[in-house]
Amino acid sequence: MIYLDYAATTPLDARVFDAMLPYLRPDGVFANPASTHGPGFKARAAVERARAQVAALIGAEPGEIVWTSGATESNNLAIKGALEFRGAGATGRALHVVTSRTEHKCVLDTCRHLEAQGCNGQPVRVTYLKPNADGVVTPEDVLAALTPETLLVSLMWVNNEIGVVQDIARLAQLLRSRGVLLHVDAAQAAGKLAIDLANTPIDLLSLSAHKTYGPKGIGALFVRRRPRARLQPQMHGGGHEQGMRSGTLATHQIVGMGAAFEVAAQRRASDEQHLTALRELLWSRLQALPRILRNGNASLMAPHLLNVSFEGVEGESLRAALPELAVSSGSACSSATAEPSYVLRALGRDDELANASLRFSFGRTTTVADIETAAAAVIRQVQWLRELSPLWTA
Amino acid sequence: MIYLDYAATTPLDARVFDAMLPYLRPDGVFANPASTHGPGFKARAAVERARAQVAALIGAEPGEIVWTSGATESNNLAIKGALEFRGAGATGRALHVVTSRTEHKCVLDTCRHLEAQGCNGQPVRVTYLKPNADGVVTPEDVLAALTPETLLVSLMWVNNEIGVVQDIARLAQLLRSRGVLLHVDAAQAAGKLAIDLANTPIDLLSLSAHKTYGPKGIGALFVRRRPRARLQPQMHGGGHEQGMRSGTLATHQIVGMGAAFEVAAQRRASDEQHLTALRELLWSRLQALPRILRNGNASLMAPHLLNVSFEGVEGESLRAALPELAVSSGSACSSATAEPSYVLRALGRDDELANASLRFSFGRTTTVADIETAAAAVIRQVQWLRELSPLWTA
Amino acid sequence: MQTETDATQANPFGYPPPVWQRFNAPARAGRFAMDTPGVVTGSAGSPAAHSRLQLQLRVADGRVADARFLAYGCPTSIAVGAWLAEWALGKTPAELRGLSLSELRATLEIADDRAHCAVMGEDAVRALLAQYEDAQP
Amino acid sequence: MQTETDATQANPFGYPPPVWQRFNAPARAGRFAMDTPGVVTGSAGSPAAHSRLQLQLRVADGRVADARFLAYGCPTSIAVGAWLAEWALGKTPAELRGLSLSELRATLEIADDRAHCAVMGEDAVRALLAQYEDAQP
Ligand SMILES: Cc1ncc(COP(=O)(O)O)c(C=O)c1O
Ligand SMILES: Cc1ncc(COP(=O)(O)O)c(C=O)c1O
């Protein structure tokens, strides 16, 4: 089995695993970090160390990191929390949010929920920007969509299906001067791109550990302190995390995320080289096949992703013909439903071609041999399916 | 250090730890359970095995278990989700919820949020029942509070501070015949009481792994299928968990919860004996001190908890005088704030006495020697602080 | 030799074994050379379902002497093509007319949500028979 | 001998070391026997703050010859009592009057949120001095 689905999730880095064990073992540091006794304080200290590690990777302060259960929760908290807080005073006109059609489902579904239910009894209007054929939403596209009622822009840094990188740094500058809050889903960006929030005026930024060799089920939301991005909590309770997110802190998970982000900080540059090389090797090997399309702008790509559409083959058979290749067709999060990827549809691919697409994503432990084997299998099976097709004409 | 704070959190059971490792190791089963490829299916199978294990402990069907990040989230989802769904049609009169003053903060805070913000633009009214001096809220108290607008009753099975067990079985029967939804916070009850949802018509029930020798950061909500308890999701996204809770499933965490609940099913009877014996031993030893009060009805107690108020000593000094004892004063979840426990206040203790209370909670690995040592330390230090007090008159 | 676990891994998507086996090694895939005598062709399939099946039978002496198929579609469609090509061998046109949809579905263990693949197979056989009859003197 | 980690564990709540040390081993805790000659008592404290401090000094030859304290309250209150009892030894009433709140706070490293504990100490000394003066012929 060759695993090329690192954008869906990654294995733990060995150092992350080692860092977690002392907080997981039956005889480890297991106390509740909220407990006010010795063992509790020890757990708390580990939580705070991890907070600093996460903050360090993205140029933030530890106090700007709020733990969540993952980027899904971070995105929900950022969007609903900001809208509820900011919209509290407004009356009459609909609160307005700008996002794109190629966001992760958890952003889109949150926006649709707000449109359907409103927010604190006020209507919500959402603009879903259509990216160009390359998958790009320009800062100018965003600016053109702003209205006086726009409270929030939510745009992902790196798209999880096609890997396109948006120009968030420029967008952030432009929005700051206009007083519009910017939320960025950075689940696929952390550890892959250089992120420096000290110099990029993003207000809210979502992170997930398991995309970066950390454990599943833990994430964080960066909430800027100066100027302060204010949120209504979405998880009510004992007032953990500065009142922004209640619930017992999962020490081992948090420690794992901290360790993963520390490793990511150390390895980012070399990871980028490694991943980019693998990506381009695979793309060049696949040139043996005529009529394939690379999805997304090749010059604006995160290093770990390659998304390719194969003309003339049917998507389900393509996947079935590659059982030894763990790849994704569309996002793992949406592939339970057999619908063609809405991201590829937004780029202008028709249903059939969207379905006949594979997302290859690479990781630290992917080797050149993996790529060669995978490329050979894909080429062989696409050729075979095309030969089998009564419709194919070479 | 003697750890007597198992109600705040427990260490992992050794079998739980062992069960989790294959899903956590860098070379383990790490794929995303939502991925539609071999490794993903393998992770998915582990998730479904765990679902069955959790369901088995409480007499539910696997399809009635929805994974969450803990009981805080489960409680939020149950209360907000049920109200949003059930209240969707209603107009005009306020939606009504009945709960008690001694619920966990995450229930109370959720209710207060609903009162302040309403639900889908409709007002929400909450009745907070005051328990009697024993901490008991009777089914009759609940029935007396119902109005035609009551959509939901939320009552905890076992109180996390004093251990009082409410008569949920009888309440459930009474509410079923009246068509009012019942949500039960069972975070402290699972594995301690016998729970059989096949024969107890509870609609929604919250669970947490880390109170039962499972990992922190994972929980579940039981959502009854027949008759179906319907919820609006609170975490929007890819539609995981039958659309009720989106977000990547944390396989190792889920497997841990499953293993913990399976162990709990095997050990429940012997755990109960062990814990009850320790609890009564401690209480009898503490009789060496005059003027102490046991909080909550001693005949309606979960086995793992003993909450005692000590007259004539100041709370902070009492805790400081026992640095080698990891106990809680009030709930760990609320003890970040130094306010006197609202649960003890609701039972009629004044601020001073509420503050001068200790919650001892016991676990599988607590020994008789632990109890003897702890009792001796408490007796010695209470006596010392009383002697030091200019106000104490024996 | 495969252990049960190997077999499961080899068929991770859980296709019915008869489908999976034919998808992986479809006998008689292809088309007859252009000038092969006695070849009748039938096609079926819908653009909506993104599938197309082409069945070719070489009839000699009133019986199917050889068969080929091509398919574009899901693994079940491909397996249906492969099964039909096998099944048709040696049959007379009258016997082909007796194709039982339920036998086809039962043999390949095709569930309801894939019934359309079986129907496409039946349609291809019908189209082929129509062509055959047209061609009769 | 304690390592630094042991010391931290021993003081898990992070009290200032001078407070922690006196809380754990307060010298001169207690009260003088009822009929001890020369004893003056001063008390202070508020029910609101749930604290009470009682200071007793035995004055002989115009100087404090011995001291006792009792306290009900947080560890800082107890440490204040212990410190005052030590500090008063050998002093004349005039010197007691010179008690410096800032010295007391600095010595025990009392932060702003515990300033009221130091003030209670000062109040107790004042009450004691008032009683002493009343008792002077
Ligand atoms: C861009 C993006 N956002 C959000 C998420 C959701 O993150 P999580 O799995 O931590 O809930 C993912 C991955 O699933 C993602 O790729
Ligand atoms: C009764 C009760 N409900 C809810 C919770 C919250 O659970 P969790 O820590 O899993 O969020 C706790 C413990 O903190 C509890 O004791």
Side-chain angles (χ1 to χ4, degrees), chain A residues 133-167:
Chain A
D134 269 357
V136 174
V137 175
T138 66
E140 286 67 31
D141 294 340
V142 174
L143 293 190
L146 299 182
T147 75
E149 284 72 40
T150 310
L151 295 183
L152 177 73
V153 170
S154 180
L155 202 68
M156 72 205 312
W157 211 319
V158 172
N159 183 279
N160 51 302
E161 288 196 40
I162 55 174
V164 160
V165 180
Q166 305 294 354
D167 190 355

Side-chain angles (χ1 to χ4, degrees), chain A residues 78-327:
Chain A
I79 297 172
K80 290 186 276 190
L83 221 62
E84 282 177 20
F85 190 90
R86 289 211 136 193
T91 43
R93 306 182 81 167
L95 313 177
H96 184 228
V97 176
V98 176
T99 186
S100 91
R101 290 198 200 172
T102 50
E103 296 303 301
H104 192 269
K105 277 214 171 170
C106 57
V107 167
L108 294 177
D109 198 33
T110 299
C111 287
R112 283 195 213 103
H113 165 79
L114 286 166
E115 285 181 297
Q117 302 281 312
C119 171
N120 300 348
Q122 287 175 81
V124 174
R125 197 169 67 79
V126 180
T127 300
Y128 301 92
L129 295 171
K130 184 170 159 39
N132 67 19
D134 269 357
V136 174
V137 175
T138 66
E140 286 67 31
D141 294 340
V142 174
L143 293 190
L146 299 182
T147 75
E149 284 72 40
T150 310
L151 295 183
L152 177 73
V153 170
S154 180
L155 202 68
M156 72 205 312
W157 211 319
V158 172
N159 183 279
N160 51 302
E161 288 196 40
I162 55 174
V164 160
V165 180
Q166 305 294 354
D167 190 355
I168 294 293
R170 199 156 62 82
L171 176 63
Q173 298 294 352
L174 292 168
L175 290 178
R176 172 54 44 88
S177 62
R178 284 162 178 82
V180 175
L181 216 60
L182 174 59
H183 165 248
V184 174
D185 177 353
Q188 295 286 348
K192 275 111 194 177
L193 312 184
I195 298 180
D196 179 14
L197 294 174
N199 294 300
T200 316
I202 293 165
D203 299 286
L204 300 158
L205 182 126
S206 298
L207 299 165
S208 183
H210 75 94
K211 309 287 186 186
T212 315
Y213 309 92
K216 288 172 249 303
I218 184 76
L221 181 66
F222 160 85
V223 182
R224 184 173 291 282
R225 285 212 158 160
R226 277 180 302 272
R228 189 164 198 106
R230 293 189 179 277
L231 298 176
Q232 280 283 341
Q234 300 298 306
M235 200 87 87
H236 299 277
H240 306 73
E241 298 297 289
Q242 307 169 56
M244 281 186 273
R245 205 284 191 180
S246 291
T248 298
L249 295 174
T251 317
H252 66 289
Q253 296 275 92
I254 288 169
V255 165
M257 182 163 181
F261 274 49
E262 184 169 296
V263 172
Q266 291 158 4
R267 298 201 46 153
R268 213 195 54 73
S270 60
D271 277 359
E272 183 171 357
Q273 272 197 339
H274 174 65
L275 297 170
T276 306
L278 295 175
R279 187 191 66 196
E280 294 309 313
L281 174 64
L282 179 56
W283 180 237
S284 79
R285 286 290 179 270
L286 292 179
Q287 300 310 309
L289 290 168
R291 290 163 62 185
I292 64 172
L293 295 161
R294 183 166 180 174
N295 292 310
N297 187 323
S299 65
L300 294 173
M301 277 291 173
H304 64 304
L305 261 173
L306 177 70
N307 192 309
V308 182
S309 298
F310 299 88
E311 283 188 36
V313 300
E314 192 274 337
E316 187 184 334
S317 280
L318 176 61
R319 293 189 287 280
L322 295 163
E324 291 300 311
L325 219 57
V327 293

Side-chain angles (χ1 to χ4, degrees), chain D residues 24-87:
Chain D
N24 276 290
R28 296 171 212 288
R31 46 166 66 91
F32 288 111
M34 280 296 234
D35 49 2
T36 313
V39 168
V40 221
T41 301
S43 288
S46 66
H50 300 321
S51 57
R52 187 88 192 155
L53 183 62
Q54 171 180 303
L55 188 65
Q56 289 189 313
L57 303 180
R58 185 166 63 75
V59 184
D61 301 332
R63 291 203 177 261
V64 175
D66 204 356
R68 293 286 182 278
F69 84 98
L70 289 175
Y72 171 84
C74 68
T76 307
S77 313
I78 292 171
V80 164
W83 185 84
L84 285 174
E86 258 174 84
W87 166 85

Side-chain angles (χ1 to χ4, degrees), chain B residues 194-210:
Chain B
I195 297 179
D196 179 14
L197 294 175
N199 295 301
T200 317
I202 293 166
D203 299 285
L204 300 159
L205 182 125
S206 298
L207 299 166
S208 183
H210 76 94

Side-chain angles (χ1 to χ4, degrees), chain A residues 314 316-317 320 352 384 388 390, chain C residues 15 23 70-75 114:
Chain A
E314 192 274 337
E316 187 184 334
S317 280
E352 210 157 351
W384 175 71
L388 194 62
Chain C
Y15 288 102
F23 171 71
L70 290 174
Y72 171 85
C74 68
R114 296 292 172 160

Side-chain angles (χ1 to χ4, degrees), chain B residues 129-143:
Chain B
L129 295 170
K130 185 168 158 40
N132 67 20
D134 269 356
V136 174
V137 175
T138 66
E140 287 66 30
D141 295 339
V142 173
L143 292 189

Side-chain angles (χ1 to χ4, degrees), chain B residues 312-314 316-317 319-321 323-324 351-352 355 384-385 387-391, chain D residues 10 12-13 15 20 23 26 29 31 50 52 54 70-75 78 114:
Chain B
V313 299
E314 190 276 336
E316 187 185 334
S317 281
R319 292 189 287 280
E324 292 302 309
D351 278 8
E352 211 156 349
N355 243 326
W384 175 70
L385 287 169
E387 276 163 25
L388 194 63
S389 169
L391 307 173
Chain D
F13 308 100
Y15 288 103
W20 185 243
F23 172 69
R31 46 166 66 91
H50 300 321
R52 187 88 192 155
Q54 171 180 303
L70 289 175
Y72 171 84
C74 68
I78 292 171
R114 295 294 171 160

